[in-house]
Amino acid sequence: MAKEQNRVAEVEQELKAVIGALKEHEDLFKLIKHPSIESSAKTEMLKRIFESAVSQPVFNTLKLLIDRRREDVLEAFVEYYVNIANEALGQASATVYSPATFVRIGVKPHRRDLQPIDRQTNPCGIGYR
């Protein structure tokens, strides 16, 4: 549905924001995942927190996962969506390993449409992982 409405990137950002907020507030995330708490109470919590911050399709997806007692797959769902969204947008993710930081050796992206790079320095300076 997001692809049909040309909202793939927007939905991706909203889902990442929800997961980011839940990870930042671990107690809330534990409540959302707790099996003894009724799904209606979980949905009401999410409604108060996220309904005005995310689009209706994203909120409905969260609600559906909770109503079906699938809170435990929320992170995996977002990760899967990101992969599908990247494919739909013709993007790819990569982790670049380098013995030196890019700033120190003066490497700059030469295209404006490049996404941020996950930069990790290999401390031993040899080989790739």
Side-chain angles (χ1 to χ4, degrees):
M1 186 163 103
K3 187 174 181 178
E4 294 167 1
Q5 296 176 356
N6 291 326
R7 298 185 58 227
V8 174
E10 181 182 331
V11 168
E12 177 183 351
Q13 292 306 313
E14 289 178 9
L15 288 170
K16 284 181 175 180
V18 168
I19 288 296
L22 290 174
K23 284 183 175 180
E24 187 175 318
H25 302 280
E26 291 178 28
D27 291 339
L28 174 61
F29 209 3
K30 286 178 185 176
L31 284 173
I32 298 298
K33 290 181 173 183
H34 200 284
S36 298
I37 298 176
E38 292 290 322
S39 60
S40 59
K42 293 176 185 181
T43 302
E44 187 59 35
M45 275 191 283
L46 288 180
K47 184 176 184 176
R48 289 183 193 170
I49 298 168
F50 295 114
E51 188 176 41
S52 63
V54 298
S55 63
Q56 196 62 44
V58 169
F59 181 76
N60 289 344
T61 301
L62 296 173
K63 186 177 179 313
L64 180 67
L65 287 171
I66 288 172
D67 288 346
R68 294 194 177 173
R69 310 296 283 174
R70 301 298 305 193
E71 306 90 343
D72 56 326
V73 301
L74 188 57
E75 288 178 272
F77 172 81
V78 172
E79 208 174 290
Y80 185 71
Y81 181 86
V82 168
N83 290 336
I84 291 172
N86 286 344
E87 189 175 306
L89 296 171
Q91 297 175 347
S93 298
T95 301
V96 177
Y97 293 94
S98 170
T101 61
F102 289 103
V103 175
R104 190 173 72 190
I105 61 175
V107 175
K108 296 178 184 173
H110 52 80
R111 288 184 33 193
R112 287 185 173 192
D113 58 342
L114 290 177
Q115 296 295 320
I117 298 172
D118 178 14
R119 295 180 178 102
Q120 297 181 13
T121 302
N122 184 344
C124 65
I126 56 173
Y128 294 97
R129 291 193 260 166

